[in-house]
Amino acid sequence: MSRPPVEVVRARTSDVDGIRALVEPQAGKRILLAKERVAYYENLPEFRVVRDAAGDVVGCGALHVMWKDLAEVRTLTVRDDQLGTGAGSAILRQLLDDAREIGVARVFCLTFETQFFGRHGFEPIEGIPVEPQVYAELLRSYDEGIAEFLDLERVKPNTLGNTRMLRIL
């Protein structure tokens, strides 16, 4: 019996608690970063979700624009019982489509799941893949994800074991 297709949709305000419920166990394992509830509301337009038949959020992911041609996949996770169902891949494909639609040419991620992202065309990176003037502009950001992308020393304790990966669209 084949599975029904996975439907990825824009997150709604009513999804925030479901997103948090997915992220909290991963944050406890230091796989994802925990955020305050308000941060999810502030960043809600970046999120896509998958819901089960009961309407519960079973997967989520966000696309955060970092620069005119660069964005980051953030908070990509699925509920344990959804692993292997294609939900994570469907969310990632949608986020990559979103990136193309808004004019982003490169998508970054910081992940432990290198095989998963590798299957989707991401490759490990070393150094900083931006021009010096863009680097200088990005340094002005307070966003921790941008600091991780720039591989700044102050975020090293948060990124131990993670791999910085990039996909060119």
Side-chain angles (χ1 to χ4, degrees):
M1 184 170 127
S2 67
R3 292 185 184 119
V6 175
E7 183 182 13
V8 180
V9 297
R10 289 208 177 277
R12 301 184 310 229
T13 57
S14 59
D15 294 323
V16 166
D17 287 336
I19 293 169
R20 289 186 76 222
L22 286 176
V23 172
E24 283 177 2
Q26 301 299 325
K29 298 177 205 171
R30 296 181 51 97
I31 293 170
L32 293 176
L33 291 175
K35 297 177 185 153
E36 297 297 328
R37 180 177 276 113
V38 68
Y40 290 106
Y41 285 112
E42 289 172 342
N43 297 305
L44 194 65
E46 299 179 352
F47 275 88
R48 295 289 190 155
V49 297
V50 170
R51 298 185 193 98
D52 64 13
D56 295 327
V57 175
V58 298
C60 66
L63 182 75
H64 179 77
V65 175
M66 299 167 78
W67 197 250
K68 72 177 181 177
D69 66 340
L70 180 67
E72 178 184 8
V73 170
R74 294 184 173 178
T75 322
L76 179 58
T77 191
V78 297
R79 203 167 64 192
D80 285 346
D81 67 338
Q82 297 297 307
L83 293 171
T85 66
S89 291
I91 294 166
L92 181 56
R93 282 191 303 273
Q94 182 62 59
L95 295 174
L96 294 174
D97 286 347
D98 292 347
R100 286 183 196 94
E101 184 179 320
I102 61 173
V104 168
R106 300 177 299 163
V107 179
F108 166 76
C109 69
L110 181 69
T111 186
F112 290 106
E113 300 296 333
T114 56
Q115 290 183 347
F116 172 80
F117 281 96
R119 285 193 304 271
H120 292 278
F122 285 77
E123 296 182 4
I125 58 170
E126 296 291 329
I128 312 303
V130 293
E131 302 78 32
Q133 64 272 24
V134 173
Y135 179 88
E137 290 282 341
L138 291 174
L139 279 176
R140 295 181 177 140
S141 174
Y142 293 103
D143 187 279
E144 288 298 300
I146 291 178
E148 291 163 351
F149 172 74
L150 297 175
D151 205 24
L152 300 179
E153 277 302 313
R154 69 181 171 82
V155 295
K156 295 283 188 189
N158 296 337
T159 63
L160 291 177
N162 280 307
T163 300
R164 295 163 61 243
M165 300 181 80
L166 190 69
R167 171 158 174 193
I168 308 297
L169 300 179

